Amino acid sequence: MSDDTGAPPSISEFVEYCHTQAGLLSGRVETMTDEANELLDEIDERLAELRSELEERSNDTPRTERPPSATGPADGTDVDDLEAAGRDLEEKQALVDAKQARIQAFQELSAGYTELAAELQTEVDEGQEALNRIVEFEAEADAPAYFDERETLCEAALEAGDEV
């Protein structure tokens, strides 16, 4: 991001960096949204299967005032199967909820980078000030945690500080 003269990058380069970070986060949001939608589709399909099975069984089974036992049919497999299916659906729903929380966090950070880019364009006059604002923003937002395969300016600044 800087040239060989040692001059700090220009404000436009820092603005571009913010837009790139926001774009990377948006791409990750799309991926997570697709994953969450796949899980929701699986949940819907399994619920439809279970409803269909229950309807078939209710049509085949004569109604009684009370079931003969509290656990269900004599062999117990139907109740066990239903309980296992319920646990599986609960686990998938928990995964969807976690993905949705992550999606929200990624969207908020992406919006933050976009807002910061706009602020840098209108409020900042020199590259060093832009760098300081980005590093401060990333540190406050814990941005390095969102980028597994990419080093943020915050991380680079921390590493540079350790080398001094």
Side-chain angles (χ1 to χ4, degrees):
M1 236 187 193
S2 73
D3 56 25
D4 293 336
T5 64
S10 68
I11 293 171
S12 64
E13 289 175 298
F14 285 120
V15 168
E16 181 180 333
Y17 168 83
C18 289
H19 286 299
T20 299
Q21 296 294 84
L24 291 170
L25 291 166
S26 293
R28 187 72 181 109
V29 164
E30 286 179 25
T31 301
M32 287 187 292
T33 299
D34 290 344
E35 292 168 355
N37 286 338
E38 286 175 17
L39 282 170
L40 287 170
D41 289 344
E42 287 177 27
I43 290 170
D44 288 344
E45 287 173 20
R46 186 64 179 130
L47 284 173
E49 289 171 8
L50 290 170
R51 282 188 190 108
S52 177
E53 285 179 35
L54 288 172
E55 285 177 14
E56 286 175 18
R57 288 183 187 170
S58 69
N59 291 337
D60 294 342
T61 307
R63 299 275 182 203
T64 60
E65 288 296 315
R66 268 189 225 169
S69 74
T71 60
D75 62 6
T77 57
D78 290 336
V79 171
D80 291 342
D81 290 346
L82 288 174
E83 287 176 349
R87 283 190 302 274
D88 182 53
L89 290 173
E90 287 173 359
E91 289 172 11
K92 285 184 180 181
Q93 184 60 50
L95 284 173
V96 169
D97 293 344
K99 282 192 182 292
Q100 288 174 335
R102 277 185 57 112
I103 288 168
Q104 173 95 24
F106 274 68
Q107 286 173 328
E108 288 173 5
L109 184 58
S110 178
Y113 271 113
T114 302
E115 291 171 16
L116 180 59
E119 290 172 13
L120 294 178
Q121 284 180 313
T122 59
E123 299 174 11
V124 176
D125 296 327
E126 59 182 52
Q128 186 61 45
E129 183 183 351
L131 174 62
N132 292 343
R133 296 214 17 208
I134 291 171
V135 169
E136 189 176 298
F137 166 78
E138 289 181 339
E140 288 175 5
D142 195 24
Y146 293 80
F147 297 97
D148 296 332
E149 299 173 7
R150 181 176 169 93
E151 184 177 58
T152 62
L153 287 177
C154 179
E155 290 171 304
L158 288 173
E159 287 175 15
D162 288 342
E163 294 172 6
V164 175

